[in-house]
Amino acid sequence: MTLMSLHHAAGLLVCPVCRQPLTLVDGQGGYCSHGHQFDAARSGYLNLSRQAQPANADTRAMVAARRRFLATGAYDPVVDQLVPHTTGPVLLEAGAGPAFYLSACVAAADDRRGLALDLSTAAAQVAARAHPRIAAVVADIWSTWPVADQTIDSLLCLFAPRNLSEFNRVLRPGGRVLIVVPNPGHWASLRRQFGLLDIPPAKADQLVAQAPATWELVERCPIQFGFSASAEQVADLIAMGPNAFHSSPQPATAAEVEVDLSLLVWQQPA
Ligand SMILES: C[S@@+](CC[C@H](N)C(=O)[O-])C[C@H]1O[C@@H](n2cnc3c(N)ncnc32)[C@H](O)[C@@H]1O
Ligand SMILES: [Zn+2]
C-alpha cells in the first residue's frame, strides 16, 4: 500500500543536515536543495534522526500495548479535555507514540493536519497509519528538530519528554503548547498493587516555572477520573510504559484505576 500522508508535512520539515526546506514526495521521501535525501520507510514514515534507535525508544510491543489500551476508550476523557484547547490547522505531537491524541485533535476539523514526532521507528510505523492527515517523522526530541521555525499552531506533548526551547522555536505566534503530565496520585493503587515505578512529584509546578517567559499560561486543569480495568487492560497499562523495561512483578488482574493528570496550556503572543 502506498501511503499518501507525507505531503501533510509540506512546508514544515527542514533537512536535518543543512536546515534547508525539505521537498516531500509521497511514498518516496524528502530531499533538500543541497542534495541530501531521505527515503520514506515502506510503512510511510520518514526517518530524519540520523542515529541508531536508542535503547529507551518504545519497542514494538510497547507501542502495540499502548494502541490496544487506548482503543478500548478508557482514556477518552483525556481526549475530551484536550481537544477543545487546541487551535489552528497545523498540529504536532512530540513523543507521539501511536499518535492517538494527535489523531483525535486533527480529526476535530477538516482543515487540520498533523506531524507525529517520535524516536521510535515502531511508533512512527503506527503513527503513519493513525489518520490520513498525519505525517510521521522519526526524530529525537532532545536534538534540534527537523521542523521549520514558527510553523506549529498547537504543540501537544503527553507523557513524553519536553524540550521547551524547541517547542518555543517551532511555535507560531498565537500558537499553543498543550502538555499533559501525571500527578503523584496517578494510578496510585495500581502502583502499590503491582509494584510499579513512582511518579516524581510536582512535575506540573516545575513546568510552570521553566516555561519561556513569553508564554502565557491560559489553562491549568486537573484531569481526574476512575475506571474498572479488565486484566487485559491492566496488562497493557503495565506493558505500554517504562515499567515494561523492569521485570513484571506479578500477573495482571482486573483492578480499579485512578487517573490523575494535569493539563497545562500556554499561548505564545500573536
Ligand atoms: C509514554 S509514551 C507516550 C506516547 C503518546 N504521547 C501517548 O500518550 O499515547 C512516550 C513516547 O515518547 C517517545 N520518546 C521517548 N524519548 C524520546 C526522544 N528523546 N525523542 C522522541 N521521542 C521520544 C517514546 O518512544 C514513546 O513513544
Ligand atoms: Zn540538506
Side-chain angles (χ1 to χ4, degrees):
M1 176 173 74
T2 307
L3 285 154
M4 302 300 286
S5 59
L6 263 188
H7 71 274
H8 291 297
L12 306 180
L13 297 178
V14 297
C15 172
V17 181
C18 69
R19 313 285 308 162
Q20 291 298 304
L22 276 187
T23 300
L24 300 169
V25 184
D26 275 334
Q28 290 184 31
Y31 60 91
C32 74
S33 58
H34 289 168
H36 302 121
Q37 236 181 301
F38 305 89
D39 294 338
R42 282 199 5 205
S43 50
Y45 68 83
L46 195 59
N47 191 338
L48 299 178
S49 79
R50 304 174 68 221
Q51 56 173 294
Q53 284 282 282
N56 63 346
D58 276 18
T59 61
R60 189 177 296 274
M62 288 165 77
V63 178
R66 182 171 294 277
R67 181 165 63 162
R68 259 192 323 266
F69 171 75
L70 291 170
T72 66
Y75 266 27
D76 284 358
V78 180
V79 172
D80 295 342
Q81 280 194 237
L82 181 70
V83 171
H85 293 292
T86 54
T87 184
V90 181
L91 286 73
L92 181 152
E93 185 174 357
F100 172 78
Y101 298 103
L102 180 64
S103 296
C105 295
V106 165
D110 289 347
D111 67 344
R112 288 189 161 180
R113 56 191 177 125
L115 187 56
L117 286 195
D118 205 289
L119 192 50
S120 153
T121 52
Q125 243 172 50
V126 174
R129 293 162 190 260
H131 188 282
R133 296 196 304 274
I134 286 180
V137 167
V138 176
D140 184 356
I141 288 175
W142 294 121
S143 309
T144 305
W145 299 358
V147 177
D149 293 355
Q150 301 193 355
T151 47
I152 306 300
D153 295 300
S154 287
L155 196 152
L156 317 173
C157 186
L158 298 95
F159 316 109
R162 297 163 291 270
N163 181 342
L164 298 184
S165 66
E166 279 301 275
F167 288 13
N168 194 42
R169 182 182 66 75
V170 302
L171 200 61
R172 250 191 201 150
R176 287 184 161 203
V177 172
L178 303 97
I179 297 181
V180 172
V181 286
N183 296 320
H186 187 55
W187 296 6
S189 49
L190 202 66
R191 269 169 221 292
R192 276 194 302 276
Q193 202 176 333
F194 293 97
L196 307 181
L197 300 171
D198 282 337
I199 305 269
K203 275 192 179 178
D205 288 338
Q206 274 169 21
L207 277 168
V208 170
Q210 291 163 355
T214 56
W215 295 7
E216 183 196 352
L217 186 65
V218 291
E219 191 68 66
R220 176 177 181 169
C221 54
I223 304 178
Q224 290 169 327
F225 58 94
F227 65 98
S228 303
S230 66
E232 290 76 21
Q233 284 176 315
V234 169
D236 282 338
L237 277 172
I238 296 172
M240 74 188 200
N243 290 289
F245 290 121
H246 302 262
S247 59
S248 188
Q250 63 208 67
T253 55
E256 293 303 309
V257 176
E258 310 98 29
V259 174
D260 182 3
L261 308 168
S262 288
L263 167 64
L264 300 155
V265 183
W266 290 266
Q267 179 134 3
Q268 183 85 290

